[in-house]
Amino acid sequence: MTAIRIGLCGIGTVGGGVLELLGRNGEVLAGRAGAPLEIVHVGARRDREGVATGSATVSRDVLAVAADPAVDILVEAIGGTEDAHELVSRALKAGKHVVTANKALIAEHGNELLALAEAQGVSLRFEAAVAGGIPIIKALREGLAANRVSWLAGIINGTGNFILTGMAEEEREFADVLAEAQALGYAEADPTFDVEGIDAAHKLVILAAIAFNTSLRFDAVYTEGISALTPEDLAYADELGYVVKHLGVARETGDGLELRVHPTLLPKELLLAKVAGVKNAVLVEGDAVGPTLYYGAGAGGGATASAVMADVIDLARELSRGQRCPLPSLGLPMGELRELPILPMGEVRTAWYLRLEAADRPGVMSQVSRILGDQGISIEALIQKAPQSGQTRVPVVVVTNVASQGNLERAVLAIEALESIAGPVTRIRIESLDG
Amino acid sequence: MTAIRIGLCGIGTVGGGVLELLGRNGEVLAGRAGAPLEIVHVGARRDREGVATGSATVSRDVLAVAADPAVDILVEAIGGTEDAHELVSRALKAGKHVVTANKALIAEHGNELLALAEAQGVSLRFEAAVAGGIPIIKALREGLAANRVSWLAGIINGTGNFILTGMAEEEREFADVLAEAQALGYAEADPTFDVEGIDAAHKLVILAAIAFNTSLRFDAVYTEGISALTPEDLAYADELGYVVKHLGVARETGDGLELRVHPTLLPKELLLAKVAGVKNAVLVEGDAVGPTLYYGAGAGGGATASAVMADVIDLARELSRGQRCPLPSLGLPMGELRELPILPMGEVRTAWYLRLEAADRPGVMSQVSRILGDQGISIEALIQKAPQSGQTRVPVVVVTNVASQGNLERAVLAIEALESIAGPVTRIRIESLDG
């Protein structure tokens, strides 16, 4: 049987993982794909110790792989957005199918690249771009295709979840657990992409496009990181029955689409709240199926290669049987995607966790309560600790009912202006994610 | 665009769910499928209140639907194995694609029916047959296709999990929670299929065939129910750090395939152990991706219809674009499946929970320990309670290391023969499911 010929660009963690996986499981995969999967051309700027490229042609210029007529499917694993954009464009224009793990590329340039793929009659697939080895893109696009999705919420950055788990379980400071994550190789030297939510925003945009049949809207994601969270807030959350997670949330409302990444209090009893350490999980609410959850490794060479090769096998299963690959990658042809308005953050409604430092004297809480009430916000739970000896201020923690961010912010401004309140009010959103 | 024409046989919970879902989401689904999905023929022995069949032809004889040249895809939702077998055979022979939610039919007659479908060049799909709306079949066949699966373990019967959750959390007897499940409609009047593990065995066989590329081996599943479990055992398990779940486990060992359904102690901290109530979840260990978990509703009209229609949309996405549907339903063509030997239960190795009633006098535990040791079994944990006043026997609970069932049974026979031990020894398997 004619082999499916793969061009592999990049032999770092992802590309190396692909080579290792094909080396180990090649025969099994050939059976499933309906044809041998052969890496015929490797593009890599330099060799990498321990990575064997076998009998493949090796080019220092990755663009040579895109131009190689012997390549059926190009796997892009060079990362970044500039060179990868050029590489993927050229491969699509040369009539090749492309598989990538590059979330930034898809989130930021996917609309253009997917339209190009469609015009060329080829596929651009990216299962590995979101939640590593968890087949969440396939689940949304195919497994849940009979549903209208009302919302999805995911722990889609393992670094952040590792840090929050460490902070919560060991009452440690953010910077301390971050340093551990860096030592373990879970976090980069510059952790901005992970801890400030940019990586999660890339992934959320991709999930939302498939779930809600919209174009990719990276321009529209609200992003808030976890670096300002304190062990105290996590401990108060615990006392109130919640766990703090860094969530990506997408929800369709009658007024527009919510796209937001931020720290979130989740009820402890939710399965999503129990996802610990570097793992990822995505919870999806469909109108027919109800809530379903997908859990596993969100990063690492093996897990990412698993998803890359799942895409390759999907394509090879069609190609080996003489078929085209007709399934649009976002579930719909690009021209049929909806242009949903994005709900402004001021109108996004959630419950809230507020922590304030209040003077330890009568009447303060009634002032706070009145200010919240003026914005239509009521208090659902409250923790007020007795002052330690010598303290003149006490921490007060408030859980509100569901309120728009706009109303909440107006109330917080007024609370912060109170003479009896010191410093800024800490605020964290709460999601119940009822199924 | 030419509509994809569906024949629907059966308008009970599943068929009614399909009609309702298509009525509600028909337009969205048509977009995703690439063509309108139209129910042109309904086969049902009688009308059902509240179920509208629209403009479809209605036949009292379901076989008329299989014979209707206007039907492209037949949805089998009549249940049972005899009539359904006849119906599906006829539809396949007539060149129609078939989608079914019928786990018994696939587990018991799937080898024959899938071969027939293959010979006819059509597809027989059954996502809804396992774990309701959770797209676990697609995940195994496609999403994890790059992996060698070493084992999978699932809570794949919601009725059983509801009963065990109630027994554990409220310390109630089996019969008491079963009655509640029956009152809520979660359990049948005759609950045998659910509580004795037959339903789970059907599903396990299907999952294992896809995960391990074998034929469907319903003849080979070991099945043990939950009706003999007591609240005491669940409480001891809890004290030892475990939760008792009714698991389907499939594992490939060097000596053969394990296929077994039985009560199992799971470490509390496992996500699978936290799946409560009527929900289903499947944990899969792949060599590249590591452990991934899939969670959601395992039954109900909406969830089952979600999976049925996902299969229909998968087929329609190909048919609407003039393609054949080349993907084999078990992941490989029937002729390429492996015939793995089945590991005899006597050779299956797990850790064990044992509970015995011992005379309250010195030396008994050293006898028990020696008998276990003679079979190469060591004690990892032990609970021995002081006798209540007036008691002459005390319950003793033992957790062993990993031992074959054969060795364990020899030891238990010897322990039960001790004069100082009363009655049979309760034994429950323990799985750590290390990722």
Side-chain angles (χ1 to χ4, degrees):
Chain A
M1 179 155 305
T2 317
I4 303 296
R5 301 164 304 177
I6 299 167
L8 173 64
C9 296
I11 54 170
T13 304
V14 177
V18 167
L19 281 163
E20 189 196 321
L21 180 52
L22 256 178
R24 188 173 71 238
N25 291 356
E27 207 174 321
V28 174
L29 269 52
R32 294 175 184 164
L37 304 172
E38 201 179 308
I39 297 193
V40 296
H41 199 155
V42 170
R45 285 192 199 112
R46 62 191 72 83
D47 288 335
R48 192 162 153 257
E49 207 176 333
V51 175
T53 51
S55 61
T57 306
V58 178
S59 294
R60 293 299 169 215
D61 177 5
V62 294
L63 295 178
V65 183
D68 183 347
V71 167
D72 301 311
I73 301 174
L74 184 141
V75 173
E76 183 278 300
I78 62 173
T81 48
E82 288 198 20
D83 291 352
H85 184 244
E86 173 78 7
L87 174 65
V88 170
S89 296
R90 289 225 200 166
L92 295 171
K93 283 178 187 156
K96 298 182 194 320
H97 303 283
V98 174
V99 172
T100 179
N102 193 326
K103 58 217 82 167
L105 179 69
I106 297 300
E108 296 178 24
H109 302 288
N111 292 322
E112 171 211 330
L113 292 171
L114 287 164
L116 174 59
E118 208 170 286
Q120 295 290 324
V122 293
S123 282
L124 167 59
R125 295 286 173 91
F126 41 82
E127 179 65 77
V130 182
I134 309 169
I136 180 64
I137 286 181
K138 181 173 280 284
L140 284 172
R141 183 181 57 205
E142 302 164 38
L144 304 180
N147 292 264
R148 287 182 207 252
V149 173
S150 42
W151 53 260
L152 61 85
I155 295 170
I156 45 182
N157 182 279
T159 310
N161 204 49
F162 176 86
I163 293 172
L164 290 182
T165 304
M167 288 176 70
E169 291 180 358
E170 299 152 30
E171 294 189 37
R172 291 159 63 194
E173 295 287 340
F174 170 82
D176 180 35
V177 192
L178 171 60
E180 184 193 350
Q182 286 168 324
L184 289 166
Y186 294 154
E188 312 273 341
D190 176 357
T192 310
F193 258 53
D194 289 321
V195 303
E196 297 306 335
I198 302 158
D199 175 76
H202 284 140
K203 295 165 177 168
L204 180 69
V205 161
I206 298 170
L207 293 177
I210 300 168
F212 302 108
N213 296 144
T214 69
S215 59
L216 296 149
R217 294 297 306 277
F218 183 63
D219 60 301
V221 197
Y222 170 81
T223 305
E224 187 181 315
I226 57 170
S227 52
L229 291 174
T230 66
E232 291 72 39
D233 287 317
L234 273 55
Y236 283 124
D238 179 68
E239 193 173 337
L240 290 159
Y242 295 96
V243 176
V244 181
K245 293 293 182 189
H246 201 194
L247 283 198
V249 178
R251 186 191 309 265
E252 185 172 353
T253 74
D255 299 318
L257 186 64
E258 298 176 10
L259 281 177
R260 45 194 172 91
V261 174
H262 51 69
T264 315
L265 271 68
L266 289 180
K268 274 181 202 179
E269 62 275 13
L270 273 182
L271 207 59
L272 187 63
K274 299 176 184 182
V275 171
V278 291
K279 297 292 188 179
N280 280 200
V282 180
L283 178 62
V284 184
E285 172 73 18
D287 66 344
V289 72
T292 56
L293 179 135
Y294 308 83
Y295 162 91
T304 310
S306 169
V308 165
M309 289 310 298
D311 276 342
V312 169
I313 293 169
D314 259 5
L315 298 175
R317 276 173 160 160
E318 305 255 356
L319 299 173
S320 68
R321 295 176 174 95
Q323 304 277 298
R324 286 176 289 112
C325 305
L327 180 61
S329 294
L330 295 181
L332 283 185
M334 296 303 286
E336 294 178 22
L337 296 174
R338 303 186 294 166
E339 284 309 321
L340 284 178
I342 303 292
L343 193 70
M345 282 306 291
E347 294 175 34
V348 170
R349 294 169 57 79
T350 65
W352 292 86
Y353 163 101
L354 305 176
R355 179 169 54 80
L356 24 115
E357 295 288 319
D360 180 35
R361 60 174 186 252
V364 176
M365 278 317 294
S366 81
Q367 285 178 302
V368 167
S369 167
R370 186 176 38 71
I371 290 171
L372 288 169
D374 287 348
Q375 296 295 336
I377 303 168
S378 61
I379 294 175
E380 302 272 310
L382 186 130
I383 299 177
Q384 184 165 3
K385 303 267 170 172
Q388 311 272 323
S389 71
Q391 278 189 328
T392 56
R393 296 182 186 285
V394 290
V396 177
V397 172
V398 166
V399 170
T400 77
N401 67 343
V402 171
S404 75
Q405 181 171 320
N407 285 351
L408 191 280
E409 279 174 355
R410 276 184 287 278
V412 164
L413 275 179
I415 292 169
E416 287 174 342
L418 290 174
E419 181 264 333
S420 52
I421 300 293
V425 174
T426 299
R427 60 205 105 158
I428 312 175
R429 289 169 189 80
I430 303 174
E431 291 280 359
S432 60
L433 301 181
D434 295 321
Chain B
M1 177 151 308
T2 317
I4 304 295
R5 300 163 304 175
I6 299 167
L8 174 64
C9 295
I11 54 171
T13 304
V14 177
V18 167
L19 282 164
E20 190 195 319
L21 180 50
L22 256 179
R24 187 172 73 237
N25 291 357
E27 206 174 323
V28 173
L29 270 52
R32 293 175 185 164
L37 303 172
E38 200 178 306
I39 297 191
V40 295
H41 198 155
V42 170
R45 284 192 200 112
R46 61 192 73 84
D47 288 334
R48 192 163 153 256
E49 205 177 334
V51 175
T53 51
S55 60
T57 306
V58 178
S59 295
R60 292 300 166 214
D61 177 5
V62 292
L63 296 177
V65 183
D68 183 348
V71 167
D72 302 310
I73 301 174
L74 184 142
V75 173
E76 183 278 299
I78 62 173
T81 48
E82 288 197 19
D83 291 351
H85 183 249
E86 173 79 9
L87 173 65
V88 170
S89 297
R90 291 226 199 168
L92 295 171
K93 284 178 186 155
K96 299 183 195 320
H97 303 283
V98 174
V99 173
T100 177
N102 192 327
K103 58 217 80 164
L105 179 69
I106 297 299
E108 297 178 24
H109 302 289
N111 293 321
E112 171 212 330
L113 292 171
L114 287 164
L116 174 60
E118 208 170 288
Q120 294 290 324
V122 293
S123 283
L124 168 57
R125 296 287 174 89
F126 41 83
E127 179 64 77
V130 183
I134 309 170
I136 180 63
I137 287 181
K138 181 173 279 285
L140 284 171
R141 183 180 59 207
E142 303 165 38
L144 304 179
N147 291 262
R148 284 182 209 254
V149 172
S150 43
W151 53 261
L152 61 84
I155 296 169
I156 45 183
N157 183 278
T159 309
N161 204 50
F162 177 86
I163 293 173
L164 290 181
T165 305
M167 288 177 69
E169 292 180 358
E170 299 153 30
E171 294 188 36
R172 290 160 64 194
E173 296 287 342
F174 171 83
D176 181 34
V177 192
L178 170 60
E180 185 193 350
Q182 286 169 322
L184 289 166
Y186 294 153
E188 312 275 340
D190 176 356
T192 309
F193 260 53
D194 288 322
V195 303
E196 298 306 336
I198 302 158
D199 174 78
H202 283 140
K203 295 166 179 168
L204 181 68
V205 161
I206 298 171
L207 293 178
I210 301 169
F212 302 108
N213 296 145
T214 70
S215 59
L216 296 149
R217 293 296 306 274
F218 183 62
D219 60 301
V221 197
Y222 170 81
T223 306
E224 188 182 316
I226 56 170
S227 51
L229 292 173
T230 66
E232 291 71 40
D233 287 316
L234 273 56
Y236 284 123
D238 179 69
E239 194 173 336
L240 290 159
Y242 296 96
V243 176
V244 181
K245 294 294 183 187
H246 201 194
L247 284 197
V249 178
R251 185 190 310 266
E252 186 173 352
T253 74
D255 300 318
L257 186 64
E258 299 176 10
L259 281 177
R260 46 194 172 91
V261 174
H262 50 69
T264 315
L265 271 70
L266 289 179
K268 273 181 204 178
E269 62 273 17
L270 273 182
L271 207 59
L272 187 63
K274 299 177 184 183
V275 170
V278 291
K279 296 292 187 179
N280 280 201
V282 181
L283 179 62
V284 184
E285 173 72 18
D287 67 343
V289 72
T292 55
L293 178 136
Y294 308 83
Y295 162 91
T304 310
S306 169
V308 165
M309 290 309 298
D311 276 342
V312 169
I313 293 169
D314 259 6
L315 298 174
R317 275 170 161 162
E318 304 255 357
L319 300 173
S320 68
R321 293 173 176 100
Q323 304 276 299
R324 284 176 290 114
C325 306
L327 180 63
S329 293
L330 295 181
L332 284 184
M334 296 303 287
E336 296 178 21
L337 296 174
R338 303 185 295 166
E339 283 309 320
L340 285 177
I342 302 292
L343 192 70
M345 282 307 291
E347 295 173 34
V348 169
R349 294 169 57 79
T350 64
W352 292 86
Y353 162 100
L354 305 176
R355 178 169 54 80
L356 23 118
E357 295 288 321
D360 182 36
R361 58 173 185 251
V364 177
M365 277 318 294
S366 81
Q367 286 178 299
V368 168
S369 168
R370 187 176 38 73
I371 291 172
L372 288 168
D374 287 346
Q375 297 295 334
I377 302 169
S378 61
I379 292 176
E380 303 270 309
L382 187 132
I383 300 176
Q384 185 166 2
K385 303 267 170 172
Q388 312 271 322
S389 71
Q391 277 188 329
T392 56
R393 298 184 184 281
V394 291
V396 176
V397 172
V398 166
V399 170
T400 77
N401 67 341
V402 171
S404 75
Q405 181 171 321
N407 286 350
L408 192 280
E409 280 175 355
R410 277 184 287 279
V412 164
L413 274 179
I415 292 169
E416 286 174 342
L418 290 175
E419 180 265 333
S420 51
I421 299 293
V425 174
T426 298
R427 61 205 103 161
I428 312 175
R429 290 170 189 79
I430 303 175
E431 292 279 359
S432 61
L433 301 182
D434 295 321

